Amino acid sequence: MPVSAVIPAAPFPIDESRSTARAMGQIPFDVVVFDLDGTLADTALDLTASLNHALGALGRPLIPAEEVRRMVGHGARALLHKGLAATGEVNEALIDEAFPLLVGYYEDNIADHTQPFDGVEAALAALDARGVKLAICTNKLEGLTLALVDALGWQDRFDAIVGGDTLPQRKPDPAPVHEAIRRAGGGRAAFVGDSISDTDAARAAGIPCVALTFGFSDRPAVDLGATALIDHYDQLLPMLERLG
């Protein structure tokens, strides 16, 4: 995808001080949008515990975290569907029965083991210092997203947060990506993610996507179709500069 394919600037005035800081830092984007699970934070152990809590209540075998990492990215119901399919019969009645068990357990234990990936805090601070607006666009339910953001101490870090139920659409539909950019103030944007729902959403939104090689994905990172790949967050700012 050509790097020049971007969303036209939104009809919002861009803060001149932030634009100046961005120019000085050579970051060619007004907004950087991030996925959450497997992108900003390693949530695998807490998601695994929540899924296994629901599966155990149904008498199903437990699923190891490494398998759950390949199931994440399309929201809680999709995760539960995959977990049920991996352990036996799956149907909507079973999903409806187990869904509140998964979500309730996760809400009560949302950050028992979750940590930001190495280098995330420094990268977010560096982008903010250069005047770049930061946004989250995730398929995690909005309420759970806000709870996790609070638990990680990021209450004031992001300019916009769009969850999986904020709009009628969710990734890979581009609408949540557009909405995150709009809420963050508009302008030229890039996406950072780890799964096919992220890269497909960014492509549909017409913006470049940097994919992580260490996130949660059901396929190798090289097969995601991202604009660029990085192996560590210390590569993010230089990569964003190159994409300009």
PDB file of all heavy atoms in Angstrom, residues 116-129:
ATOM      1  N   PRO A 116       2.629  -3.465  30.020  1.00  0.00           N
ATOM      2  CA  PRO A 116       2.975  -2.881  28.712  1.00  0.00           C
ATOM      3  C   PRO A 116       4.182  -3.618  28.131  1.00  0.00           C
ATOM      4  O   PRO A 116       5.052  -4.083  28.873  1.00  0.00           O
ATOM      5  CB  PRO A 116       3.335  -1.432  29.047  1.00  0.00           C
ATOM      6  CG  PRO A 116       2.712  -1.173  30.379  1.00  0.00           C
ATOM      7  CD  PRO A 116       2.726  -2.486  31.107  1.00  0.00           C
ATOM      8  N   PHE A 117       4.227  -3.722  26.832  1.00  0.00           N
ATOM      9  CA  PHE A 117       5.392  -4.318  26.191  1.00  0.00           C
ATOM     10  C   PHE A 117       6.620  -3.436  26.423  1.00  0.00           C
ATOM     11  O   PHE A 117       6.508  -2.223  26.630  1.00  0.00           O
ATOM     12  CB  PHE A 117       5.159  -4.494  24.690  1.00  0.00           C
ATOM     13  CG  PHE A 117       4.298  -5.676  24.350  1.00  0.00           C
ATOM     14  CD1 PHE A 117       3.005  -5.508  23.867  1.00  0.00           C
ATOM     15  CD2 PHE A 117       4.779  -6.971  24.505  1.00  0.00           C
ATOM     16  CE1 PHE A 117       2.210  -6.594  23.554  1.00  0.00           C
ATOM     17  CE2 PHE A 117       3.999  -8.062  24.199  1.00  0.00           C
ATOM     18  CZ  PHE A 117       2.709  -7.880  23.721  1.00  0.00           C
ATOM     19  N   ASP A 118       7.769  -4.058  26.369  1.00  0.00           N
ATOM     20  CA  ASP A 118       9.026  -3.344  26.579  1.00  0.00           C
ATOM     21  C   ASP A 118       9.155  -2.201  25.570  1.00  0.00           C
ATOM     22  O   ASP A 118       8.988  -2.411  24.366  1.00  0.00           O
ATOM     23  CB  ASP A 118      10.195  -4.324  26.422  1.00  0.00           C
ATOM     24  CG  ASP A 118      11.520  -3.699  26.817  1.00  0.00           C
ATOM     25  OD1 ASP A 118      11.543  -2.937  27.796  1.00  0.00           O
ATOM     26  OD2 ASP A 118      12.527  -3.982  26.139  1.00  0.00           O
ATOM     27  N   GLY A 119       9.413  -1.016  26.087  1.00  0.00           N
ATOM     28  CA  GLY A 119       9.608   0.146  25.225  1.00  0.00           C
ATOM     29  C   GLY A 119       8.361   0.948  24.937  1.00  0.00           C
ATOM     30  O   GLY A 119       8.451   2.047  24.366  1.00  0.00           O
ATOM     31  N   VAL A 120       7.179   0.445  25.327  1.00  0.00           N
ATOM     32  CA  VAL A 120       5.930   1.156  25.031  1.00  0.00           C
ATOM     33  C   VAL A 120       5.891   2.518  25.712  1.00  0.00           C
ATOM     34  O   VAL A 120       5.578   3.535  25.083  1.00  0.00           O
ATOM     35  CB  VAL A 120       4.708   0.308  25.447  1.00  0.00           C
ATOM     36  CG1 VAL A 120       3.449   1.178  25.532  1.00  0.00           C
ATOM     37  CG2 VAL A 120       4.484  -0.813  24.444  1.00  0.00           C
ATOM     38  N   GLU A 121       6.172   2.541  27.008  1.00  0.00           N
ATOM     39  CA  GLU A 121       6.067   3.801  27.748  1.00  0.00           C
ATOM     40  C   GLU A 121       6.974   4.872  27.143  1.00  0.00           C
ATOM     41  O   GLU A 121       6.570   6.029  26.972  1.00  0.00           O
ATOM     42  CB  GLU A 121       6.434   3.572  29.215  1.00  0.00           C
ATOM     43  CG  GLU A 121       5.546   2.572  29.939  1.00  0.00           C
ATOM     44  CD  GLU A 121       4.236   3.183  30.411  1.00  0.00           C
ATOM     45  OE1 GLU A 121       3.928   4.327  30.019  1.00  0.00           O
ATOM     46  OE2 GLU A 121       3.522   2.508  31.168  1.00  0.00           O
ATOM     47  N   ALA A 122       8.193   4.506  26.804  1.00  0.00           N
ATOM     48  CA  ALA A 122       9.135   5.465  26.229  1.00  0.00           C
ATOM     49  C   ALA A 122       8.666   5.943  24.867  1.00  0.00           C
ATOM     50  O   ALA A 122       8.786   7.134  24.537  1.00  0.00           O
ATOM     51  CB  ALA A 122      10.526   4.844  26.129  1.00  0.00           C
ATOM     52  N   ALA A 123       8.120   5.032  24.058  1.00  0.00           N
ATOM     53  CA  ALA A 123       7.654   5.411  22.720  1.00  0.00           C
ATOM     54  C   ALA A 123       6.458   6.359  22.808  1.00  0.00           C
ATOM     55  O   ALA A 123       6.389   7.360  22.071  1.00  0.00           O
ATOM     56  CB  ALA A 123       7.283   4.167  21.921  1.00  0.00           C
ATOM     57  N   LEU A 124       5.509   6.060  23.698  1.00  0.00           N
ATOM     58  CA  LEU A 124       4.350   6.942  23.855  1.00  0.00           C
ATOM     59  C   LEU A 124       4.776   8.324  24.336  1.00  0.00           C
ATOM     60  O   LEU A 124       4.283   9.346  23.838  1.00  0.00           O
ATOM     61  CB  LEU A 124       3.355   6.325  24.834  1.00  0.00           C
ATOM     62  CG  LEU A 124       2.682   5.012  24.410  1.00  0.00           C
ATOM     63  CD1 LEU A 124       1.764   4.500  25.526  1.00  0.00           C
ATOM     64  CD2 LEU A 124       1.910   5.182  23.108  1.00  0.00           C
ATOM     65  N   ALA A 125       5.689   8.359  25.303  1.00  0.00           N
ATOM     66  CA  ALA A 125       6.163   9.649  25.814  1.00  0.00           C
ATOM     67  C   ALA A 125       6.888  10.439  24.735  1.00  0.00           C
ATOM     68  O   ALA A 125       6.734  11.667  24.629  1.00  0.00           O
ATOM     69  CB  ALA A 125       7.075   9.424  27.016  1.00  0.00           C
ATOM     70  N   ALA A 126       7.675   9.749  23.915  1.00  0.00           N
ATOM     71  CA  ALA A 126       8.421  10.431  22.858  1.00  0.00           C
ATOM     72  C   ALA A 126       7.487  10.990  21.788  1.00  0.00           C
ATOM     73  O   ALA A 126       7.695  12.105  21.291  1.00  0.00           O
ATOM     74  CB  ALA A 126       9.427   9.470  22.228  1.00  0.00           C
ATOM     75  N   LEU A 127       6.457  10.237  21.429  1.00  0.00           N
ATOM     76  CA  LEU A 127       5.492  10.731  20.452  1.00  0.00           C
ATOM     77  C   LEU A 127       4.749  11.948  20.999  1.00  0.00           C
ATOM     78  O   LEU A 127       4.561  12.951  20.301  1.00  0.00           O
ATOM     79  CB  LEU A 127       4.498   9.629  20.085  1.00  0.00           C
ATOM     80  CG  LEU A 127       5.042   8.515  19.191  1.00  0.00           C
ATOM     81  CD1 LEU A 127       4.049   7.356  19.116  1.00  0.00           C
ATOM     82  CD2 LEU A 127       5.336   9.045  17.779  1.00  0.00           C
ATOM     83  N   ASP A 128       4.319  11.856  22.257  1.00  0.00           N
ATOM     84  CA  ASP A 128       3.616  12.980  22.871  1.00  0.00           C
ATOM     85  C   ASP A 128       4.506  14.222  22.922  1.00  0.00           C
ATOM     86  O   ASP A 128       4.057  15.337  22.647  1.00  0.00           O
ATOM     87  CB  ASP A 128       3.168  12.583  24.280  1.00  0.00           C
ATOM     88  CG  ASP A 128       2.392  13.693  24.961  1.00  0.00           C
ATOM     89  OD1 ASP A 128       1.279  14.004  24.516  1.00  0.00           O
ATOM     90  OD2 ASP A 128       2.917  14.273  25.930  1.00  0.00           O
ATOM     91  N   ALA A 129       5.771  14.032  23.255  1.00  0.00           N
ATOM     92  CA  ALA A 129       6.697  15.161  23.334  1.00  0.00           C
ATOM     93  C   ALA A 129       6.898  15.819  21.977  1.00  0.00           C
ATOM     94  O   ALA A 129       7.224  17.011  21.908  1.00  0.00           O
ATOM     95  CB  ALA A 129       8.039  14.689  23.887  1.00  0.00           C
TER      96      ALA A 129
END
